[in-house]
Amino acid sequence: MIDIVSGTSAGGINGLILATAMPRGARLPALSDLWTHAASLNRLLNPPSEKSVLNGDTFTAEVDKAVRGMRGSPGSSPHPVTLFVTATALDGRNQTYRDGFDTEFQIRDHRRLYRFQQEDVHVTYETDDLRNWGFKKRPVSHFTNDDLPALIQAARATAGFPVAFQPVSEYPMLDRRVMPDPDLDFPASCVMDGGVLNNAPFGPVLAEITRRKLDGPMKRVVVYVVPSVGRLAQENTKQNLCGEVGWYVAAMNAIRYPQEVNLRSGTEDLAARLGSSIRDQQLDLFQRLSDPRNHGEGNVYQHLRNVARNLNNEYRHSRAAALLYDLRRRVSESSDISALIAAPELDSARLEAILGACRGDDDQWTHPSWIPRYDQPLEFHADQPWNWGIIAAERVIQCLIGHLLDFLDRENGEAERTALSEGGQHISECLREVMALGDALDSGIRSAADPNDLAEEGAAHLYDEVFTRLGVPERLRGIVVTASESYVRAMSSAGLHNGWSSEEVVTAGLTVEVLTRVYAPPSKLVEPLTPKFAFLRLGPDTMSPLFHEDHLDDFGDRKLYGTRLSHFGAFANPS
């Protein structure tokens, strides 16, 4: 089942048609016929365009016809679908940075990213008419007939190859824009081909995976579909003297290199996420703690718990410094000037002075609600507000989901698998609520922050004020309790329960949190776990594991004629 689609340029159009067909329960149109007909030069040159080489309106009409011609009705498929489409703006956002010596400089960001979704239950945390905060769960569908103009414009924008097609306005899909951040209220711009700056948008896909509901045994695969072979030919300039290289060779390379940079950056980001994730370490520790064979005095369970208790204050210190750093970073990103700052090198005495008291609305000093107290016991109690913060709650719940998934991957009876699946579904719903809380907290901080006052004391007070105003500690307590109770019920029903109460389950999760994050750098302390996935690249040079045979496997680049002429070969030769 495909539930997340991300694409750019021609891949953006194919992905958009795929993502639009799925929630309608419709078959894909004949994509090869669409491209042969709609993308032929005979069609794209008529009528001639005064602003570009090819007529983009002609192509847009053909894509519109293909999308509207798909049978089925929006919402007929129960499966969630998320579509990401990229574009490049002609009017970039100027962001001012300030270095450590108060020197200011500007960098321009032309990236655009749009998201279209269908979900039976979309979770947000917001206020009602009486300003009471609570979760709102409602269906969301951005693939209805009313959304078609935005979808078609997104297809036209992402495939607007420079010079070949005229740029278009992003105004019709402004409500679907997620980059720049919607909170910045950046105006609409003219946009063109997304492949200029963002040819492989992996990041949004991985973030979306975490929000998916777990409702059965599954294996998550990120499939990267490319039209070119993975083995690169030798570049043909090394046999020439530098003085013999013509201007056209240098010009073609200069045009190609920016795409190389963003593709390489996306692949390197993917490799970094796969290589630096501590998901397996965290799940392994939780598994060892939960194994009844490791329980008892002097065993692994007791040893790890004792170590975590002794390190709890160290964890508290590291995480507080990381949260203050992350808070300043988030506020500066949404302000007119972003400070290039390092993690605060606070001595223990000053940090404890900041954490020991925060001034409340009644001008009284109270302990922050987002960090454990000094010498606070590691043991969790269901009747106490959660003061470990949002990210710790997210990682503890991900531990429970990962543990259930581990058992689901094994051979179990139908009753056991059903119990584990239902438990995983309930816990993943809790995870989505935690993430909705995080989104609301982030928006609240950005709207309340003073970018000119980012000292650690002010940041701590701001964080505590928004945290308390949104009722986060009490909400998190209820969510964590619900998740742990669902975990205990699932494990008990599957005959896998080790005798832990729901409170002991959370305490084990906190033990893992302390042990794996106590001396982690700030960026690792404030980021969620990377989702578990396998990476698969599909190209014309490899035998796909999805198919049993491929008679054209040895053709390489010859298999797809369209990759010739810088991927414009198919325009010149429809056959």
Side-chain angles (χ1 to χ4, degrees), residues 309-314 316 352 367 372-379:
R309 286 192 189 99
N310 293 332
L311 290 173
N312 198 13
N313 284 332
E314 290 292 302
R316 177 178 179 271
E352 287 303 326
H367 185 274
R373 294 175 181 270
Y374 184 78
D375 278 344
Q376 175 176 312
L378 193 64
E379 286 71 22

Side-chain angles (χ1 to χ4, degrees), residues 561-574:
Y561 189 92
T563 58
R564 290 165 170 78
L565 304 178
S566 296
H567 292 255
F568 269 80
F571 287 81
N573 188 341

